[in-house]
């Protein structure tokens, strides 16, 4: 992991140098005028899913960092698949960003149009946070794997630098390892959102230009929809810092893809997966019951994924004791990241089986407890890596009493919990600044302090 000393060195890469007036330089008056260099163009691939506010939240988070640290750059945002809800958030909060749509290839059709133009104009191509560069973790679809790597080969052919921002890496099953190593070792930078992923690449001799810990892009998110958020809070009697937000995740199919499914969203959950959900949601119900009876504060059942709206109702809310149910708000509709941010900003604390609502909470200064499923991969370690290891648990190995105890500890010494969040986020922002200096250097700009 990058140390504080490493960060200081990185921040000092561009020391202040005196610039002589042009007329004082030998021979300048005799030289023809030279056009100033064009502003860099950064092409960002992001927005993996409209039905998951974590997949949506990566985008405004990283866009905000680029806007803040590389204001000279023109930002192009590539949406390969339709993302109408994410685009509402982006056009509202980032009017200068141009959204580019389209697939990188389509059978025998020539590569042309706005996407090709975007690549050919790019000074840098960045793939935003996620875990898409794995093989054998969630499946063995070789075509999908190569489709993800093909744009990098195009960049190599055209001399376009590329980098990966806030990624997790878990598995490169045979015969993927040499292919991934060949391509990713030629990246200008790879920032891993958990140090386990960084160590994994390092141990297998991946040698990109820079390989370091770099926070998930969602940590940069600051967008809000105050009108919708405040209306929801008022309607449901949720007062500032007087409710716990709870986010669940189940082994159930996505609403938009019920037939095909995926390992984490099975179309037909097995009996073992169904039992796993029953046990996990029983812990959530016990945690909620303890919280309400011990603190007297309310609970919001909030969806990070659209499919979990219904699951939170049937698996949690409907099975709570009547006296507890009266203190619990079940959100019955899905939402976008900016409305969620406006609600999360008023939460006392957050508990989640999913990580990205919790990342949003941390970005807002809210204490969190994450109970991760190990099947979700290495990404859960990011909470430890920013200094919040005591708030990271394994949902299937941890009893409900331990999860409740940690939330009650936060409640009993809330100022200390808030201080922990602030310390963790100070480290996150330090790393964000360091990563963005590398982005600046990659596109030919000098280092720049935060504005």
């Amino acid at each position: 992991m990058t140390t504080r000393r490493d960060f200081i060195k990185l921040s000092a890469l561009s020391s202040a140098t005196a610039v002589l007036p042009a007329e004082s330089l030998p021979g300048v008056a005799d030289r023809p005028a030279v056009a100033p260099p064009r502003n860099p163009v950064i092409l960002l691939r992001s927005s993996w899913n409209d039905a998951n506010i974590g997949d949506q939240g990566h985008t405004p988070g990283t866009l905000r960092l680029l806007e803040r640290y590389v204001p000279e750059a023109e930002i192009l945002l590539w949406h390969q698949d339709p993302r109408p809800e994410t685009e509402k958030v982006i056009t509202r909060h980032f009017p200068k960003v141009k959204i580019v749509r389209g697939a990188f290839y389509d059978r025998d059709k020539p590569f042309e149009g706005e996407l090709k133009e975007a690549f050919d104009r790019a000074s840098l191509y960045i793939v935003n946070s996620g875990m898409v560069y794995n093989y054998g973790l969630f499946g063995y679809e070789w075509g999908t794997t190569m489709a993800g790597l093909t744009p990098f080969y195009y960049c190599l052919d055209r001399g376009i630098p590329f980098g990966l921002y806030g990624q997790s890496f878990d598995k490169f099953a045979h015969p993927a390892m040499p292919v991934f190593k060949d391509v990713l070792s030629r990246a200008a930078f790879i920032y891993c959102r958990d140090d386990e992923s960084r160590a994994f690449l390092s141990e297998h001799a991946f040698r990109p230009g820079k390989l370091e810990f770099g926070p998930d892009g969602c940590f940069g998110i600051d967008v809000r929809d105050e009108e919708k958020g405040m209306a929801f809070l008022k309607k449901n009697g949720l007062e500032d810092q007087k409710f716990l937000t709870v986010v669940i995740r189940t082994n159930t199919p996505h609403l938009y893809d019920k037939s095909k499914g995926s390992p984490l969203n099975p179309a037909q959950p097995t009996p073992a997966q169904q039992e796993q959900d029953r046990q996990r949601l029983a812990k959530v119900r016990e945690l909620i019951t303890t919280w309400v009876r011990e603190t007297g504060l309310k609970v919001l059942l909030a969806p990070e994924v659209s499919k979990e709206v219904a699951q939170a109702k049937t698996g949690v809310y409907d099975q709570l004791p009547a006296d507890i149910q009266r203190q619990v708000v079940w959100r019955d509709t899905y939402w976008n990241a900016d409305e969620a941010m406006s609600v999360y900003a008023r939460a006392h604390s957050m508990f989640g089986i999913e990580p990205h609502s919790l990342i949003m909470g941390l970005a807002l200064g809210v204490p969190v407890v994450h109970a991760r499923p190990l099947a979700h991969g290495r990404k859960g370690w990011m909470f430890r890596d920013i200094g919040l290891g005591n708030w990271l648990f394994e949902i299937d190995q941890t009893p409900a009493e331990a999860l409740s105890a940690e939330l009650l500890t936060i409640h009993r010494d809330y100022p200390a919990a808030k201080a922990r969040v602030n310390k963790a986020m100070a480290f996150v922002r330090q790393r964000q600044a360091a990563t963005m200096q590398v982005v600046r250097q990659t596109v030919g700009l000098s280092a720049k302090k935060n504005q």
Side-chain angles (χ1 to χ4, degrees), residues 181-228:
K181 188 184 299 186
D182 170 65
V183 183
L184 300 187
S185 289
R186 291 188 271 176
F189 55 82
I190 297 178
Y191 287 109
C192 300
R193 60 186 175 183
D194 59 272
D195 202 52
E196 299 295 319
S197 290
R198 182 207 57 76
F200 174 65
L201 294 188
S202 182
E203 288 164 6
H204 287 90
F206 283 65
R207 297 288 184 264
K210 189 166 289 290
L211 175 58
E212 293 182 349
F213 171 80
D216 188 300
C218 193
F219 276 103
I221 192 170
D222 63 359
V223 296
R224 299 218 199 159
D225 188 333
E226 290 289 272
E227 182 178 356
K228 286 185 178 179

Side-chain angles (χ1 to χ4, degrees), residues 125-161:
Y125 171 52
I126 300 176
V127 177
N128 206 8
S129 301
M131 52 197 310
V132 296
Y133 297 105
N134 287 278
Y135 180 69
L137 178 65
F138 298 133
Y140 296 87
E141 296 182 6
W142 188 251
T144 301
T145 297
M146 291 308 299
L149 295 177
T150 301
F152 295 144
Y153 280 110
Y154 185 86
C155 289
L156 290 169
D157 185 59
R158 299 302 178 97
I160 305 166

Side-chain angles (χ1 to χ4, degrees), residues 269-286:
T270 65
Q273 289 172 323
Q274 293 173 336
E275 178 59 26
Q276 190 177 62
D277 284 344
R278 282 191 286 270
Q279 292 183 15
R280 290 174 178 177
L281 297 186
K283 292 179 182 182
V284 172
R285 294 194 301 272
E286 183 176 339

Side-chain angles (χ1 to χ4, degrees), residues 57-322:
H58 301 302
T59 304
T62 299
L63 286 177
R64 185 66 75 207
L65 296 176
L66 292 171
E67 179 184 77
R68 181 179 303 142
Y69 288 98
V70 200
E72 304 93 331
E74 177 185 355
I75 309 299
L76 307 177
L77 173 62
W78 176 18
H79 285 173
Q80 176 164 315
D81 299 309
R83 296 287 181 254
E85 292 304 315
T86 302
E87 291 185 12
K88 290 177 185 177
V89 175
I90 300 309
T91 54
R92 182 184 304 128
H93 300 285
F94 300 91
K96 293 181 181 180
V97 171
K98 179 183 178 182
I99 298 174
V100 179
R101 303 170 182 86
F104 191 78
Y105 67 91
D106 185 4
R107 299 180 184 272
D108 287 331
K109 292 181 180 179
F111 187 36
E112 58 187 10
E114 65 175 359
L115 182 57
K116 182 180 187 300
E117 179 185 349
F119 269 94
D120 291 347
R121 292 185 59 218
S123 310
L124 172 63
Y125 171 52
I126 300 176
V127 177
N128 206 8
S129 301
M131 52 197 310
V132 296
Y133 297 105
N134 287 278
Y135 180 69
L137 178 65
F138 298 133
Y140 296 87
E141 296 182 6
W142 188 251
T144 301
T145 297
M146 291 308 299
L149 295 177
T150 301
F152 295 144
Y153 280 110
Y154 185 86
C155 289
L156 290 169
D157 185 59
R158 299 302 178 97
I160 305 166
F162 64 88
L164 286 73
Y165 197 79
Q167 289 281 331
S168 290
F169 301 90
D170 288 84
K171 186 177 181 181
F172 300 131
H174 178 77
M177 180 65 78
V179 179
F180 277 96
K181 188 184 299 186
D182 170 65
V183 183
L184 300 187
S185 289
R186 291 188 271 176
F189 55 82
I190 297 178
Y191 287 109
C192 300
R193 60 186 175 183
D194 59 272
D195 202 52
E196 299 295 319
S197 290
R198 182 207 57 76
F200 174 65
L201 294 188
S202 182
E203 288 164 6
H204 287 90
F206 283 65
R207 297 288 184 264
K210 189 166 289 290
L211 175 58
E212 293 182 349
F213 171 80
D216 188 300
C218 193
F219 276 103
I221 192 170
D222 63 359
V223 296
R224 299 218 199 159
D225 188 333
E226 290 289 272
E227 182 178 356
K228 286 185 178 179
M230 294 304 293
F232 174 79
L233 292 167
K234 182 177 180 180
K235 177 183 176 181
N236 291 281
L238 295 172
E239 300 179 55
D240 193 10
Q241 293 192 356
K242 292 185 178 181
F243 65 94
L244 168 72
T245 296
V246 172
V247 177
I248 67 167
R249 177 64 183 258
T250 57
N251 296 306
T252 50
H254 279 305
L255 300 181
Y256 60 84
D257 187 19
K258 292 185 177 181
S259 59
K260 184 179 179 181
S262 65
L264 295 185
N265 305 284
Q268 298 293 330
T270 65
Q273 289 172 323
Q274 293 173 336
E275 178 59 26
Q276 190 177 62
D277 284 344
R278 282 191 286 270
Q279 292 183 15
R280 290 174 178 177
L281 297 186
K283 292 179 182 182
V284 172
R285 294 194 301 272
E286 183 176 339
L287 177 151
I288 289 173
T289 300
T290 300
W291 172 266
V292 171
R293 289 179 175 164
E294 291 291 329
T295 69
L297 300 181
K298 288 189 173 184
V299 173
L300 166 64
L301 287 168
E304 181 165 323
V305 183
S306 60
K307 69 171 188 171
E308 302 300 351
V309 172
Q311 302 303 325
K313 175 72 160 54
T314 59
V316 180
Y317 184 81
D318 287 349
Q319 299 184 50
L320 290 169

